[in-house]
Amino acid sequence: MELKRPQTQTQIAILSFTCFSLFILAVGLDDQVLALLPPPPPPPPPITKASGGERYVQMRAGAAFKIAVFADLHFGENAWTDWDFVVYLGDVITANNIPIANASLYWDQAISPTKSRNIPWASVFGNHDDAPFEWPMEWFSAPGIPPLICPAVNSTYSGEEACSFRGTQRIELMKHDIEHDVLSYSSNGPKELWPSISNYVLQVSSSDDPKSPVVYLYFLDSGGGSYPEVISNAQAEWFQKKSEEINPNSSVPELIFWHIPSQAYKKIAPRFGIHQPCVGLINKESVASQEAELGIMDLLVKRPSVKAVFVGHNHGLDWCCPYKKLWLCYARHTGYGGYGNWLRGARIIEITQQPFSIKSWIRMEDGVVHSRVTLSP
């Protein structure tokens, strides 16, 4: 089955399927969190195209549309020693611990459970996906010659050629994701925003009419790794232009996904526990935010259609708190890579068309559900 990406500059990725969920891999998952996935559904039907040729996500008649947000897998993280303190958190892979020529091999392993279940996904980059390799001091033995330690992965490389310390660039990872996985609805975004790569929007369409949007899902690259942790002014301007183009009257609700929390998260972070109107279960660390606020939050709070922002990055936080007229939410640390020993889980987002609502909660690896919140009535 061949899936063609949009050829226009609108960068609107629209798809159609009858599967139960769209999995947003803020930072991945692997076999260790299979309990969070439903049984494999039937293969997806042929992709339906809107009149303009774009793909669209179409809700099933009479059924809610569920999004599972998996955060901070850190697949491939340091296999030779424990980390005592991590400043840069989560992504699908921890590239700074992967000394191989092509980190997309680890990317493939991280997303394989979702792929094997025929579930479509979209991804955004965080601060570890393309981070440069960090040499562990213990590699440098007493004689001063570090042993060559390369992870054993399925690779066409052999011997010394299997090791590389330059890292795999964002654009290379994204190209691999969208060209080698027909279930991927990720995008490398407008070139004028590069090195920021994962900037795009996905439409969720009505079950009655594929041309009728129910919700828009925006994905933004919050940087880190190979460049500063920030959503640039250029990205903010892109969002403003795109949202006014496809949703000029703010009549369609919008949900926003990126990895590193904005500085606005610091302003509303709960203190000494989580209390109403915030919801959540863990509040075990301070917000590690982007380096600067360059306009995106000002735009979001001015748009009545924006209902919530979802981030990862902080493993010890899973709360949602209101910020002016929208919600700022964390996902739940999903993977077994990265720091912290808190129980793993995922954030679920449920969109219902009739009557319209957007609700969210945390589903733990053992099936326990908590922290239910209504994001839009």
Side-chain angles (χ1 to χ4, degrees), residues 116-127:
S116 68
R117 284 161 170 74
N118 297 310
I119 299 170
W121 70 85
S123 60
V124 293
F125 288 124
N127 54 298

Side-chain angles (χ1 to χ4, degrees), residues 8 24 64 71 81 86 102 132 167 176 203 210 225 234 256 268 270 272 288 291 299 309 312 356 364:
T8 66
I24 309 299
T81 187
V86 176
N102 187 359
H176 177 86
Q203 178 179 304
I256 317 296
I268 60 166
F272 311 110
E291 298 174 26
L299 292 174
V309 178
F356 180 82
M364 302 303 293

Side-chain angles (χ1 to χ4, degrees), residues 5 104 107 121-125 168-181 184-189 194 197-200 219 221:
R5 266 89 189 162
S104 63
W107 186 286
W121 70 85
S123 60
V124 293
F125 288 124
T168 303
Q169 296 179 359
R170 269 172 158 78
I171 187 60
E172 294 173 353
L173 289 170
M174 184 60 79
K175 182 178 180 181
H176 177 86
D177 187 50
I178 64 181
E179 291 184 356
H180 292 81
D181 294 304
S184 171
Y185 293 95
S186 306
S187 175
N188 52 22
W194 293 6
I197 299 298
S198 52
N199 304 285
Y200 57 100
F219 303 87
D221 194 329

Side-chain angles (χ1 to χ4, degrees), residues 26 40 42 47 52 73 78 109 111 130 167 172 191 199 205 247 249:
I47 296 302
L73 173 64
N78 210 332
Q109 292 182 51
I111 65 176
D130 68 344
E172 294 173 353
K191 288 187 177 181
N199 304 285
S205 296
N247 194 16
N249 300 320

